[in-house]
Amino acid sequence: MATLANGIRHLPGYLDRPAQEHLVELIRDIVAEAPLYTPEMPGTGKPMSVRMTNCGPLGWVTDKQQGYRYQSYHPATKKPWPAMPQELLDLWETLGGYSKPPEACLINFYSDDAKMGLHQDRDENDLAAPVLSVSLGNSCLFRVGGLSRKDPTGSFRLSSGDVVVLGGEGRLAFHGVDRIYPGTSTLLKNGGRINLTLRRVNS
DNA sequence: TAGTGCCT
DNA sequence: ACAC
């Protein structure tokens, strides 16, 4: 376990291979019910390169008209998000150190050429709760800065099975994904990377 | 500005 | 990493 200068915790290889494979199975079922969709930037409608879906009572979504928000249903199917698997509730219980359970699990799928710009997770009402991130599949170059966009940044590699906890000082740290490293994992047969982000939304 | 580009 |  490594704690970075900005308070972010990195747990390399926290999930073993069988646990990773089990999560992929669960995600396959979720995606069958709540298909990955292409989010849009607020205002411009520019598509993001990452595709998304969610599980849990709430899901993070964005589109041209309404922008970033949490809502209880899939934007395309209008159906409620699939339930949060017990395995993820357990992970939150073990690593989150927070009294209330997570309400949203954002599932991000990165193709090998997808990226995500530097941003803050700040659409939650409960900013005391940590954000838990699970990496599956190909490795990525993860970038982390400070509380201001202008703050200097550093980067490190995230591999399949790694968990990152953004809590305390690091809860509102700017972060993003610079690049995916193709062919660095055999977990996902068709390549790419999956990131699970567990969040508490309502205080 | 949860993005894009690298003759930056 | 940085500017836009």
Side-chain angles (χ1 to χ4, degrees):
Chain A
M1 202 276 279
T3 301
L4 287 62
N6 51 28
I8 288 175
R9 283 194 296 157
H10 179 203
L11 294 79
Y14 183 83
L15 298 173
D16 63 18
R17 175 73 184 213
Q20 295 173 39
E21 290 173 350
H22 182 56
L23 281 181
V24 171
E25 293 284 318
L26 295 172
I27 293 162
R28 178 178 300 122
D29 292 342
I30 290 167
V31 169
E33 186 180 339
L36 292 166
Y37 75 100
T38 300
E40 299 170 341
M41 294 296 288
T44 65
K46 170 162 282 282
M48 296 170 83
S49 59
V50 174
R51 291 189 298 152
M52 301 180 172
T53 189
N54 292 266
C55 62
L58 292 173
W60 188 89
V61 299
T62 172
D63 58 30
K64 177 175 180 173
Q65 189 152 30
Q66 295 185 261
Y68 307 154
R69 65 197 186 274
Y70 283 93
Q71 65 180 38
S72 61
Y73 58 93
H74 190 289
T77 69
K78 314 299 185 194
K79 294 195 299 184
W81 302 107
M84 179 112 46
Q86 186 62 44
E87 288 85 342
L88 296 178
L89 297 172
D90 291 345
L91 187 73
W92 177 272
E93 180 80 22
T94 304
L95 294 178
Y98 198 71
S99 55
K100 299 167 190 156
E103 294 167 300
C105 176
L106 176 59
I107 300 169
N108 287 154
F109 177 75
Y110 294 77
S111 55
D112 283 336
D113 61 356
K115 303 173 293 296
M116 186 174 285
L118 210 59
H119 68 280
Q120 289 175 300
D121 289 18
R122 48 173 290 178
D123 299 311
E124 302 74 31
N125 292 316
D126 190 344
L127 295 176
V131 170
L132 248 69
S133 161
V134 179
S135 294
L136 297 167
N138 284 340
S139 301
C140 75
L141 183 62
F142 186 67
R143 183 165 297 278
V144 184
L147 300 184
S148 164
R149 184 179 285 281
K150 302 182 309 181
D151 289 341
T153 63
S155 64
F156 58 95
R157 193 174 174 126
L158 289 180
S159 300
S160 195
D162 289 7
V163 176
V164 173
V165 184
L166 299 98
E169 299 293 302
R171 174 62 180 78
L172 287 172
F174 276 85
H175 59 282
V177 172
D178 283 1
R179 65 161 302 192
I180 305 297
Y181 296 105
T184 49
S185 169
T186 55
L187 186 70
L188 305 176
K189 303 301 180 259
N190 292 315
R193 170 178 182 265
I194 292 170
N195 179 255
L196 308 178
T197 313
L198 298 169
R199 292 131 177 211
R200 178 75 197 182
V201 178
N202 295 118
S203 45

